[in-house]
Amino acid sequence: DGNFNVYDDIRKKLVAAGVPENEIEFIHNADTEAKKAALFSKVRSGQVRVLLGSTAKMGAGTNVQSRLVAVHHLDVGWKPSDMTQRNGRIIRQGNMNKEVKVFNYVTEGTFDSYLFQTLENKQRFISQIMTSKSPVRSCDDVDEQALSYAEIKALCAGNPLIKEKMDLDVQVAKLKVLKADHQSQKFRLQDKLLTKFPADIQETNAYIAGVKADAQLAAAHPQGKEEFCGMTIKGVAYDEKKTAGERLVLACSELPNAEEKVIGSYRGFELSLRFDTFRSEYQAILKGQRRYPVPLGTDPLGNIIRLDNSLNNFPERINSAENELATLHQQQAAAQIEVEKPFPQEEELTEKSARLAELNAQLDVDEKSHEPEQDEEEQENVSRRPSVLAALEEKSDKPEPVKPFRSYYDKDGDAR
């Protein structure tokens, strides 16, 4: 009927090139599962050499890969998964050919370039998410971006500026994400400089001062290897080490619950007991300026030794805290330097944003600059062409003639 059909056109050209017509099939002719299974069987056996179809109709479940040697993409898919699905028909386990060919057909200076640019952008984001190789936290789907008519027209006309614009769109978007990440890191560092570092330094200084005071308290109540300075438990003083240890173990069993309870004193420190449910163990808490938990066992003498070891460990505690304080000061100084650094790619972002704005304006101006000339030329053409709207209005104004009724028995045999 004069209408173009790409399926029939390809078949006609293949037949003209010498391919038997019965070896060419269309997937949409197999409109039932039985017909589709029979068609796939013919393709696998080689009776059908050429199978044409759309992405949707020849997608999942099309197992015809046995003898395929080439796949031809006549158009561009909108999603990377479309192209993966197509190639998956031939690059598939069960294909007897060690090598296959994949053909992509594109037309220069058309919308194909934009579609492949879109596929590239989408695949880049997908690869970043699947491989975790990029710090980018978000992305925009091009599906939701409105492409202006001017850009489409520029694509069809082969305007080189549109390619530059698309590249700059991606680069500027990436630079903006990097700048936003830089700003977020800067805000986090500023927050640390204002609150966290001062609070941590103040807390560490207070801890060091408390530990030093407790070290002096422990030194004022020394414990010799052969001597015992005594322990007070529930108001009773114990001068013998083993007896004190046994009473300490008994006090653990007398605890009413897991909560901490003061039971006495040892070497000038307040002595408390508690049951640590997380570690499932009893702990003695020695409290001076700071608190020092000591795990307890069932050996009476061993528990006393553990308490003494904790009170003899003050030089290590002070040294560790002073190192931590020095580290905090170093981190504070480094954060102060980092927070004052500008975005390293600010100049590049400014230049590319300016160029992008220039391209947007230029594309828009180019489209509008031709409108007056075209209007003058087209005015004459429009005046010569009949107006469809005017024809409809003119037709609506005229009353439609009433056709005479003709019975089934009219002599000309035209039944109405």
Side-chain angles (χ1 to χ4, degrees):
D1 59 357
N3 293 329
F4 177 78
N5 182 295
V6 67
Y7 289 89
D8 294 333
D9 182 71
I10 292 175
R11 179 167 59 184
K12 181 177 64 176
K13 291 175 180 176
L14 288 173
V15 171
V19 181
E21 187 172 355
N22 62 342
E23 296 182 357
I24 306 170
E25 287 288 350
F26 303 152
I27 187 67
H28 53 260
N29 289 337
D31 51 4
T32 65
E33 291 299 323
K35 292 181 180 179
K36 191 178 295 186
L39 174 60
F40 291 169
S41 178
K42 291 181 179 179
V43 177
R44 289 193 296 269
S45 66
Q47 298 178 52
V48 172
R49 295 170 57 196
V50 180
L51 181 62
L52 292 94
S54 63
T55 306
K57 287 187 176 295
M58 285 207 300
T62 306
N63 300 319
V64 295
Q65 66 274 6
S66 302
R67 302 174 185 271
L68 297 186
V69 295
V71 59
H72 301 259
H73 301 304
L74 300 186
D75 60 358
V76 188
W78 187 249
K79 298 177 294 183
S81 60
D82 291 341
M83 308 305 289
T84 303
Q85 185 69 248
R86 297 182 188 180
N87 291 331
R89 299 312 95 212
I90 185 171
I91 306 175
R92 191 180 179 94
Q93 185 177 4
N95 195 324
M96 295 185 293
N97 298 299
K98 293 183 178 180
E99 293 183 1
V100 295
K101 296 181 179 180
V102 178
F103 294 92
N104 290 283
Y105 299 94
V106 296
T107 306
E108 185 179 2
T110 66
F111 199 70
D112 287 347
S113 60
Y114 181 83
L115 288 175
F116 271 106
Q117 179 73 31
T118 300
L119 286 179
E120 179 186 356
N121 294 340
K122 290 184 177 183
Q123 187 60 52
R124 183 182 294 113
F125 284 123
I126 293 170
S127 299
Q128 288 170 358
I129 293 171
M130 298 301 291
T131 60
S132 302
K133 290 183 179 179
S134 172
V136 178
R137 300 294 182 96
S138 62
C139 61
D140 293 326
D141 191 350
V142 187
D143 294 16
E144 299 175 357
Q145 295 180 352
L147 186 66
S148 69
Y149 293 117
E151 290 174 335
I152 296 176
K153 185 174 180 180
L155 278 170
C156 298
N159 191 336
L161 296 180
I162 194 62
K163 177 68 170 87
E164 183 182 358
K165 169 184 159 45
M166 289 189 293
D167 291 339
L168 282 176
D169 279 334
V170 175
Q171 295 174 26
V172 169
K174 182 178 180 180
L175 288 172
K176 286 182 177 179
V177 170
L178 292 176
K179 183 176 181 180
D181 184 62
H182 173 81
Q183 292 288 352
S184 298
Q185 292 181 1
K186 185 175 181 179
F187 293 149
R188 286 194 294 270
L189 290 176
Q190 288 175 341
D191 183 62
K192 286 184 177 181
L193 289 170
L194 290 174
T195 58
K196 188 177 187 305
F197 285 126
D200 289 349
I201 290 173
Q202 182 180 2
E203 173 61 27
T204 305
N205 282 323
Y207 176 80
I208 292 174
V211 172
K212 287 182 177 180
D214 291 340
Q216 294 176 358
L217 179 61
H221 300 79
Q223 175 73 292
K225 292 183 179 180
E226 301 299 332
E227 299 177 359
F228 182 62
C229 62
M231 178 183 292
T232 301
I233 299 177
K234 294 186 178 182
V236 180
Y238 296 90
D239 297 330
E240 191 177 273
K241 182 184 291 188
K242 183 177 180 181
T243 305
E246 291 173 348
R247 186 66 184 90
L248 185 61
V249 173
L250 180 61
C252 290
S253 62
E254 294 174 348
L255 281 177
N257 49 48
E259 294 180 1
E260 183 178 337
K261 183 179 180 181
V262 179
I263 64 166
S265 62
Y266 180 62
R267 294 180 63 181
F269 289 83
E270 180 184 270
L271 179 61
S272 303
L273 290 179
R274 72 177 182 186
F275 181 75
D276 190 329
T277 55
F278 181 75
R279 294 182 174 86
S280 297
E281 65 182 14
Y282 286 100
Q283 292 180 349
I285 310 297
L286 295 168
K287 182 180 178 183
Q289 295 290 328
R290 313 296 298 185
R291 293 163 52 84
Y292 310 99
V294 181
L296 299 177
T298 57
D299 183 7
L301 294 178
N303 287 335
I304 302 299
I305 294 174
R306 292 182 183 185
L307 294 176
D308 290 335
N309 289 338
S310 178
L311 294 179
N312 295 334
N313 197 30
F314 285 111
E316 289 80 0
R317 288 193 181 99
I318 295 172
N319 184 57
S320 176
E322 288 178 344
N323 289 336
E324 183 181 349
L325 181 63
T327 302
L328 283 172
H329 283 298
Q330 292 174 359
Q331 292 176 347
Q332 186 182 34
Q336 188 63 48
I337 295 174
E338 288 296 323
V339 81
E340 295 174 358
K341 288 183 179 180
F343 178 53
Q345 295 166 286
E346 183 66 40
E347 184 177 353
E348 181 184 0
L349 176 59
T350 302
E351 291 178 358
K352 291 185 176 180
S353 297
R355 177 56 180 165
L356 182 60
E358 180 183 343
L359 284 174
N360 289 331
Q362 188 172 355
L363 287 170
D364 189 45
V365 168
D366 286 346
E367 294 304 317
K368 292 181 179 179
S369 62
H370 297 293
E371 290 179 2
E373 299 178 4
Q374 292 175 352
D375 288 344
E376 293 178 3
E377 296 176 359
E378 290 177 359
Q379 285 295 333
E380 299 180 4
N381 296 333
V382 170
S383 61
R384 296 171 187 169
R385 292 196 297 266
S387 171
V388 177
L389 181 61
L392 290 174
E393 292 177 348
E394 182 180 357
K395 184 177 180 181
S396 63
D397 293 338
K398 296 180 180 180
E400 185 176 354
V402 179
K403 296 181 180 180
F405 176 78
R406 306 172 77 178
S407 72
Y408 291 101
Y409 301 102
D410 288 343
K411 61 181 179 179
D412 57 1
D414 183 13
R416 296 290 291 172

